[in-house]
Amino acid sequence: MQPDLLDRVQIAHALQQFRRRSPLVHCMTNDVVQTFTANVLLALGASPAMVIDSEEAPQFSAIADALLINVGTLTRERATAMRSAVESANAAHKPWTLDPVAVGALTLRTEFCQQLLALRPAAIRGNASEILALAGMSAGGRGVDTTDTASAALPAAQALARQSGAIVAVSGEVDYITDGSRMLMVTGGDVLMTRVVGTGCALSAVVAASCALPGDKLENVAAACAFMAQAGSLACAKSTGPGSFVPAFLDALYALGGKA
């Protein structure tokens, strides 16, 4: 299957919808990236909330427009809260997105994410090694870092999409997004984006938000990848290193489309 390149008209339309609707995103994400993730969503026009208590999380996931499950700093207690939130989101017909951080080598997160697949995520976003591991085709990468190229994970992404019913986005030098039969690709970004913490996790939050938008879910998830890639390219052109990249990246997200 040859992937199609998402065009500018599709990206612009998705961005317009994103800002008009300002989705409320319930982010059950890892402790390292909460502030950055919230700032990325705010810069794009969404509304973030980080509710992790086991009693409050399922209440809030029924209220929010979308839910993100990121297992970066997973504990058994947090896994219980996450599962309850997912079940509540499903009952309320709210989409949820899985970010299987470092799945493969570590038992707790690998078993937990495999169990969550049965609860039908709207989207799954990970790097190549994570997608390969989640699909049962490899042992995972080096911690949170991929040891595989995005293109190498395409068969796994397609199989995972067909198995789970989710849109699967593989991040890398090129982003590939598939529903198991169709495939889109997004180019752009810069290697500097891998030298600051949280760009992948924040992308998963933007993917979660995009799943709450009307229209073609595959195109909406691909557009979320394009927002981040475009902003990354713009920010890297103005940055001298990781320290100057983060504020430039947030500014670029805010300015996408010429109007925030």
Side-chain angles (χ1 to χ4, degrees), residues 3 25 55 94 117-118 125 134 163 172 180 188 193 217 230 254:
V25 188
E55 182 177 342
K94 302 298 180 67
L117 291 180
R125 200 294 311 171
L134 193 60
Q163 171 197 350
M193 296 178 73
K217 191 185 300 181
Q230 287 182 358
Y254 183 77

Side-chain angles (χ1 to χ4, degrees), residues 38-108:
N39 283 337
V40 164
L41 288 171
L42 287 168
L44 278 169
S47 181
M50 279 63 178
V51 180
I52 60 171
D53 178 76
S54 59
E55 182 177 342
E56 290 188 338
Q59 296 174 10
F60 195 79
S61 65
I63 297 169
D65 296 309
L67 169 66
L68 168 66
I69 299 295
N70 174 306
V71 299
T73 51
L74 188 68
T75 64
R76 295 189 185 278
E77 293 76 14
R78 188 166 290 187
T80 298
M82 286 176 168
R83 181 187 296 276
S84 295
V86 167
E87 291 171 347
S88 179
N90 282 345
H93 306 290
K94 302 298 180 67
W96 67 278
T97 292
L98 175 63
D99 186 337
V101 178
V103 157
L106 300 174
T107 303
L108 175 62

Side-chain angles (χ1 to χ4, degrees), residues 21 43 55 80 91 107 156 162 176 214 250:
R21 291 180 176 267
E55 182 177 342
T80 298
T107 303
R162 288 191 291 266
Y176 296 98
L250 294 175

